[in-house]
Amino acid sequence: MAVPVTTAPRTIDSPVTSLARVKPLDARRLAKLGIESVRDLLLTLPFDWELYGAPKRVAELRDGESATVVGTVAGSAAQITTRKRVRLTKATLRDDAGDLLRLVWFNQPYLARNLPPGMRLAVAGRVKGVNEGFEMLNPHHESLASVDGSAGPRRIGGLMPKYHLVAGLSSKRMAEFVEEAMPMAEQLEDVLPAETRLRMGLLGVVEAVRLGHKPRTEADWQLARKRMAFAELFELQAAFALIRRQLALEPATPIPYRQDVIDAFKAGVGFELTRAQRRATWDAFQDMQRTAPMNRLLNGDVGSGKTAVAAACVAMAHAAGLQSVVMAPTEILARQHLGKFRGYLEASFPGLTVELLVSSQGAVERRRVRTAAASGHCALVVGTHALIEEEVEFAQLGLAVVDEQHRFGTRQREQLRGKGSGRPHFLAMTATPIPRTLALALYGEMSVSVLDELPPGRTPVTTRVVAKHDRASAYELVRQQVRLGRQAFVICPLIEESELLEVRSATAELERLRKDVFPDLKLDLVHGRMRDKDAVMQRFVNREIDVLVATAVVEVGVDVPNATVMMVEGAERFGLAQLHQFRGRVGRGADKSYCLLLTDDETPYVMERLDLVQRTPDGFTLANEDMHRRGVGELMGARQHGMSDAAMDALLKPELLSLARDEAEALLQSDPDLSRHPALARAVVRRLEVTSIS
Ligand code: ADP
Ligand code: MG
């Protein structure tokens, strides 16, 4: 039977396989980079360029420079080196003046076959002077059709693009795909309104895409990149503005502010709120008085006292006759929250009952809690995922709080908010200090309160960078602290390629420490692949373990006041902000605590970064540094939020972001449903599909 063939006309939204050069395997590789349609391909500019300049003669070359040379292949051969058995391809290129350039490629044995003598070839790479002559290692290459050399190289020389890649793709292949797709760039609609573009002096999208993939000069490239980055931030901000508007239309029950409630709360909480806590509490109270639901992110360093802020909101909701729910990522955290909320609230608010809901409870207990929630009898339920997995219903839900919000998906947060009849006010908490620009860019649909101050009386954690030869002193400190009755964490190096490898190396590390270093201490292991992480953590809390070895993926977000040493192996592999997170796991009690950053890499770059952690106790300062040093993409997994490098780099200049935000706001004022800006409307919809906007 004949299969009906539908040949839909190829458009910019056709899959990349509609390009002749993109084979199904290539398409799968491109998909890993988030490139599915021709449009995606065109909009994904190179992240950087190599500058080789116009072709030069061999006689003009200088040692160490990057250059392009055009000539004729004089000979080529594949070889295997005798000692290290590396496969090499060697070739000789003769330029039109007759001078020779040696070419060497590693691990591309097939190449020799593709470089027959007499072929016209352009190469671009770094020049190395070797006895009398010159050599290029792993140069880019392109065969030239015309034998007389009149046609210059089309794809190499000048500026060579660098695209983000996955195994099996090269920047050259990418450039070939883009070249085939380029005629369709005409079809790209501009998401930027003409007025905005003119006012800001930005290129149109078609020109930006052309120049971005094939600039003639560095300036072209910068212009293209600036335009693409701005358009992206603008799209995102338009998406956020749209969500904010939609949220504002959903009715929430206002929670009136009552001075007597806050007075009672302050009296019962047992400490003086910090200035930052008061500010954040006030922000939240203002939001909750409105008929539109609060949508606020509480961003505070570890130990800054976010729970107390949430508790004040719970008290206010309770006074208005509304219930609250708090969701935490692990059972231990939920239990710790239960203790804190009860401690903060139950004495001052006798009618305010707090219940726990986690999956390890018996069926009878869980049913009792569900009934208490559904009847409106309990004011606050604290729990884990069980809250959304089980059919918990609330009689009058007024406030939903999510702790460590990045540990939950958009859908889970949404499910929690759907637990009542109307739309509850929403407070998300995170202990990852996020620089303000990044918060605006990633969570622009939320308002943000920052707790940038720790409660008084904390002893700062002593941070020390420990070099290879000093390892014994680190172990000695652990031993000494355990002797004093304290406990220690050992974090194993991050292995990004595979969690399984990471687990293996952590297991090996545990065995090594048990056998060679601490045979007399109680050691155990916790990792991300373990089913019962909570049970191990609980035994650590109960002091049944002296030294807890953990993989990097495990977030040990638990209060263990008795732990006083945090030892991080392979510290150079972590971001500054991550190191700070680890450090936050100690120093939670009254005792002096230590954070030891171990590294075998003593290069100045590494030492300088680690030294910065050692000198900087503040998480926001470090996060900012991290953002500037490693680039925004590494922080907060911004790349997973579907942002391009250009847009992320643009975040380093906050002015551009606020401009994008202002322009987007103004546009939505005049065109609230974007009906007069269809291209932008479509882009916003696409963006909402790929980003984790909550
Ligand atoms: P986090 O922001 O990490 O969730 P917590 O809310 O768990 O921080 O607070 C950390 C510790 O500090 C808790 O033991 C809490 O009771 C205490 N705490 C919070 N606020 C204050 C304050 N203003 N003064 C003194 N201690 C406080
Ligand atoms: Mg907390």
Side-chain angles (χ1 to χ4, degrees):
M1 209 174 77
V3 180
V5 179
T6 51
T7 46
R10 188 172 71 173
T11 72
I12 192 131
D13 286 310
S14 302
V16 279
T17 43
S18 66
L19 300 169
R21 287 175 185 158
V22 179
K23 306 292 172 238
L25 190 59
D26 298 319
R28 275 199 298 263
R29 290 169 179 151
L30 289 169
K32 287 190 197 149
L33 296 165
I35 298 173
E36 309 213 327
S37 64
V38 175
R39 174 198 303 278
D40 297 338
L41 180 67
L42 287 171
L43 291 180
T44 307
L45 295 190
F47 68 91
D48 200 2
W49 289 84
E50 288 171 71
L51 189 59
Y52 294 106
K56 279 191 172 179
R57 287 170 186 260
V58 172
E60 298 167 323
L61 296 178
R62 254 171 302 148
D63 185 30
E65 76 173 337
S66 296
T68 310
V69 177
V70 175
T72 307
V73 176
S76 66
Q79 284 184 7
I80 295 183
T81 60
T82 40
R83 275 189 40 237
K84 292 201 168 159
R85 311 210 47 83
V86 176
R87 292 143 158 301
L88 297 180
T89 293
K90 289 189 173 176
T92 315
L93 189 74
R94 175 176 290 119
D95 77 2
D96 299 335
D99 291 321
L100 297 180
L101 173 67
R102 270 185 289 173
L103 309 171
V104 181
W105 288 272
F106 291 135
N107 292 322
Q108 300 186 45
Y110 52 87
L111 207 59
R113 270 179 279 129
N114 299 333
L115 299 173
M119 175 196 228
R120 287 294 291 174
L121 188 73
V123 291
R126 185 171 285 273
V127 176
K128 207 173 140 213
V130 275
N131 17 299
E132 310 288 289
F134 289 108
E135 183 177 270
M136 272 188 194
L137 267 189
N138 297 318
H140 299 282
H141 62 284
E142 180 184 343
S143 76
L144 304 180
S146 125
V147 181
D148 64 6
S150 60
R154 277 187 311 157
R155 280 191 290 276
I156 82 161
L159 290 161
M160 287 289 293
K162 291 202 238 173
Y163 290 93
H164 279 300
L165 300 171
V166 290
L169 274 181
S170 66
S171 283
K172 193 171 156 209
R173 290 285 287 160
M174 288 291 282
E176 287 167 3
F177 300 157
V178 169
E179 185 175 79
E180 189 184 347
M182 197 51 88
M184 277 189 279
E186 301 280 353
Q187 295 174 34
L188 287 167
E189 325 86 342
D190 210 319
V191 296
L192 288 180
E195 315 86 79
T196 303
R197 226 169 56 217
L198 288 177
R199 193 162 42 239
M200 301 205 42
L202 295 169
L203 297 180
V205 64
V206 177
E207 204 183 348
V209 162
R210 283 201 187 119
L211 289 183
H213 287 289
K214 230 173 169 334
R216 290 163 310 229
T217 62
E218 173 80 18
D220 280 355
W221 154 240
Q222 293 299 351
L223 277 179
R225 195 169 155 85
K226 181 172 176 203
R227 134 83 219 198
M228 299 303 273
F230 185 84
E232 205 174 311
L233 296 179
F234 176 78
E235 259 174 55
L236 262 173
Q237 293 303 322
F240 290 139
L242 206 66
I243 296 175
R244 285 199 302 268
R245 281 172 173 270
Q246 272 164 9
L247 263 180
L249 296 177
E250 291 186 49
T253 311
I255 298 175
Y257 176 77
R258 280 174 50 180
Q259 187 63 41
D260 59 321
V261 173
I262 193 68
D263 288 343
F265 176 76
K266 282 181 176 166
V269 78
F271 44 70
E272 182 99 11
L273 293 180
T274 63
R275 238 181 337 146
Q277 281 171 318
R278 273 181 277 144
R279 222 181 309 126
T281 310
W282 179 241
D283 289 343
F285 286 166
Q286 296 230 320
D287 288 358
M288 294 193 303
Q289 289 180 64
R290 307 215 174 97
T291 49
M294 165 164 82
N295 196 26
R296 186 166 284 279
L297 179 67
L298 181 56
N299 186 194
D301 216 335
V302 191
S304 58
K306 293 183 288 294
T307 324
V309 175
C313 296
V314 170
M316 207 53 92
H318 173 66
L322 298 174
Q323 295 168 288
S324 302
V325 61
V326 174
M327 182 162 73
T330 68
E331 191 159 328
I332 302 198
L333 273 178
R335 286 181 191 277
Q336 288 191 345
H337 276 323
L338 178 76
K340 280 184 196 150
F341 279 101
R342 283 193 170 150
Y344 294 159
L345 295 168
E346 282 187 338
S348 304
F349 304 95
L352 199 167
T353 47
V354 186
E355 299 284 4
L356 178 75
L357 193 95
V358 293
S359 49
S360 72
Q361 286 165 321
V364 179
E365 174 65 1
R366 290 208 307 272
R367 189 162 341 107
R368 187 187 67 74
V369 175
R370 281 207 307 271
T371 312
S375 65
H377 210 78
C378 81
L380 168 63
V381 181
V382 177
T384 53
H385 294 85
L387 287 166
I388 43 182
E389 280 149 17
E390 304 203 6
E391 300 292 296
V392 186
E393 291 296 335
F394 289 83
Q396 281 289 350
L397 187 63
L399 172 68
V401 180
V402 171
D403 193 18
E404 304 292 345
Q405 60 110 20
H406 59 281
R407 299 278 299 271
F408 296 97
T410 312
R411 255 199 60 231
Q412 294 172 312
R413 284 177 276 178
E414 206 43 48
Q415 279 174 309
L416 189 72
R417 289 160 128 177
K419 287 289 167 189
S421 45
R423 186 96 185 166
H425 295 285
F426 182 67
L427 183 67
M429 306 202 281
T430 176
T432 313
I434 311 167
R436 194 181 146 67
T437 27
L438 195 54
L440 276 184
L442 295 182
Y443 307 111
E445 84 284 19
M446 295 201 221
S447 324
V448 180
S449 295
V450 173
L451 296 186
D452 51 4
E453 183 185 2
L454 292 183
R458 299 270 167 86
T459 326
V461 177
T462 303
T463 306
R464 243 181 57 208
V465 181
V466 180
K468 199 174 186 168
H469 58 272
D470 239 5
R471 180 167 287 270
S473 74
Y475 292 142
E476 186 44 42
L477 181 71
V478 170
R479 184 174 288 289
Q480 172 215 330
Q481 288 291 306
V482 171
R483 225 181 282 131
L484 292 170
R486 310 283 172 261
Q487 294 160 280
F489 290 100
V490 175
I491 304 291
C492 296
L494 181 71
I495 302 177
E496 275 173 12
E497 301 82 53
S498 144
E499 196 184 347
L500 190 64
L501 280 182
E502 191 165 271
V503 169
R504 272 204 206 124
S505 94
T507 311
E509 177 66 5
L510 172 75
E511 288 316 316
R512 190 184 72 80
L513 289 174
R514 261 191 186 144
K515 212 166 115 258
D516 302 339
V517 186
F518 303 122
D520 48 331
L521 305 187
K522 288 170 286 179
L523 273 64
D524 216 326
L525 175 70
V526 63
H527 62 71
R529 291 222 161 178
M530 227 165 196
R531 217 172 311 129
D532 228 348
K533 296 190 275 287
D534 266 12
V536 182
M537 286 311 297
Q538 194 59 57
R539 286 196 292 120
F540 191 55
V541 172
N542 300 345
R543 303 193 187 188
E544 291 163 35
I545 300 166
D546 298 319
V547 178
L548 183 63
V549 179
T551 55
V553 290
V554 129
E555 285 190 63
V556 272
V558 179
D559 240 342
V560 188
N562 193 52
T564 53
V565 186
M566 167 57 66
M567 192 165 141
V568 184
E569 290 280 358
E572 76 281 358
R573 301 200 198 179
F574 295 98
L576 305 182
Q578 272 168 303
L579 292 174
H580 179 72
Q581 287 294 307
F582 288 133
R583 174 164 66 185
R585 307 312 350 161
V586 295
R588 321 205 105 207
D591 303 301
K592 182 150 188 49
S593 292
Y594 304 87
C595 175
L596 306 174
L597 306 176
L598 279 75
T599 180
D600 292 347
D601 183 346
E602 292 176 35
T603 51
Y605 172 76
V606 165
M607 286 320 237
E608 192 212 337
R609 284 179 72 236
L610 296 182
D611 187 52
L612 189 72
V613 181
Q614 179 169 293
R615 282 183 286 123
T616 315
D618 175 60
F620 282 95
T621 311
L622 272 180
N624 234 321
E625 276 292 331
D626 215 9
M627 184 163 110
H628 282 91
R629 277 159 194 256
R630 291 198 306 166
V632 184
E634 300 294 322
L635 209 69
M636 299 296 303
R639 197 159 289 139
Q640 290 146 32
H641 285 73
M643 251 201 245
S644 74
D645 296 277
M648 289 188 284
D649 285 352
L651 293 180
L652 297 177
K653 296 189 214 99
E655 319 82 71
L656 207 63
L657 180 68
S658 22
L659 274 173
R661 198 171 165 84
D662 294 347
E663 292 284 332
E665 280 291 346
L667 186 82
L668 271 135
Q669 288 285 350
S670 66
D671 184 14
D673 55 0
L674 294 180
S675 56
R676 284 186 286 117
H677 295 87
L680 178 61
R682 279 192 297 273
V684 162
V685 169
R686 279 196 301 271
R687 206 152 269 287
L688 291 177
E689 280 162 8
V690 296
T691 56
S692 63
I693 293 173
S694 61

